[in-house]
Amino acid sequence: MSESSQTEIVIAPVGFEHLRQVLDLGYRVFDTTVKPYTSWSLTAVAEHLDSGDSACWVALDGAKVVGFVLGSQTFELRDDWGYLEWIAVDPAYQGRGIAGRLVNACCEALFAGGASRVVTDVESSNSASATLMSRNGFAPAVTVTLFVRSSQPDEEPGRAVRGVSKRPLIRSGRLLGDHRNP
């Protein structure tokens, strides 16, 4: 990797002008058919932009979004933990250190905003993301297995769940802080 290929890419805060490109890149790189809890959508992106915290960044090649990271200042009911929720880099730009730069920008913003920890989740078969997180100071802490029961008794147990009709998983309660004001 040449020095010039590293410096051409600018890491900048996400703005509304990046919304369409971030959404499109996410749809290109995330497989939303495998995990029924995956909720990549316009709402997922917009809630991050509307949250007011500055843990969302884009990697720009000129005006083109070639990567992004979306983080939030709260994780579940923990006000002191940040959450690195979404990260993607255009496959044509992978291998240039962009993802690591995005992870660091997000974590630095979350720590500066008061987070004592930053949490992320990586699907068990995603070795590239697991390696990225390990290289950037994350360590495995908890393993959660999604158990699925089919309505079809003769269906093979453990088969990948594809084509699942998903209900919207809206994070507004977490982002807006409803849990703090009962």
Side-chain angles (χ1 to χ4, degrees):
M1 168 174 49
S2 73
E3 186 65 32
S4 64
S5 67
Q6 180 73 5
T7 57
E8 292 172 1
I9 306 303
V10 174
I11 306 299
V14 172
F16 287 104
E17 68 275 17
H18 304 121
L19 180 63
R20 175 85 258 162
Q21 291 185 71
V22 167
L23 185 64
D24 289 345
L25 178 58
Y27 276 122
R28 284 197 321 269
V29 301
F30 299 140
D31 184 355
T32 60
T33 64
V34 175
K35 300 183 293 183
Y37 59 87
T38 299
S39 58
W40 183 250
S41 66
L42 176 59
T43 301
V45 179
E47 284 183 335
H48 279 85
L49 294 177
D50 199 32
S51 70
D53 61 34
S54 59
C56 300
W57 300 86
V58 288
L60 298 169
D61 185 357
K64 179 182 179 184
V65 171
V66 298
F68 66 85
V69 63
L70 304 178
S72 60
Q73 199 59 49
T74 58
F75 176 72
E76 298 299 331
L77 298 179
R78 295 291 307 247
D79 291 337
D80 62 331
W81 286 15
Y83 186 31
L84 190 159
E85 186 171 5
W86 300 100
I87 185 166
V89 174
D90 185 311
Y93 287 79
Q94 291 176 1
R96 300 184 189 184
I98 296 169
R101 292 172 62 200
L102 288 166
V103 167
N104 287 328
C106 181
C107 289
E108 288 174 15
L110 292 170
F111 290 139
S116 63
R117 302 269 191 282
V118 176
V119 177
T120 192
D121 50 85
V122 175
E123 201 259 318
S124 63
S125 66
N126 190 340
S127 59
S129 286
T131 299
L132 169 68
M133 294 308 160
S134 294
R135 285 183 180 160
N136 286 280
F138 286 81
V142 176
T143 300
V144 176
T145 302
L146 177 65
F147 287 87
V148 178
R149 178 178 172 176
S150 173
S151 63
Q152 306 300 315
D154 58 343
E155 188 175 275
E156 178 185 338
R159 181 179 64 83
V161 180
R162 291 194 179 271
V164 174
S165 173
K166 298 178 283 287
R167 66 178 173 81
L169 297 175
I170 297 176
R171 304 181 51 218
S172 59
R174 285 198 322 218
L175 287 177
L176 298 179
D178 293 343
H179 61 278
R180 292 179 224 145
N181 300 316

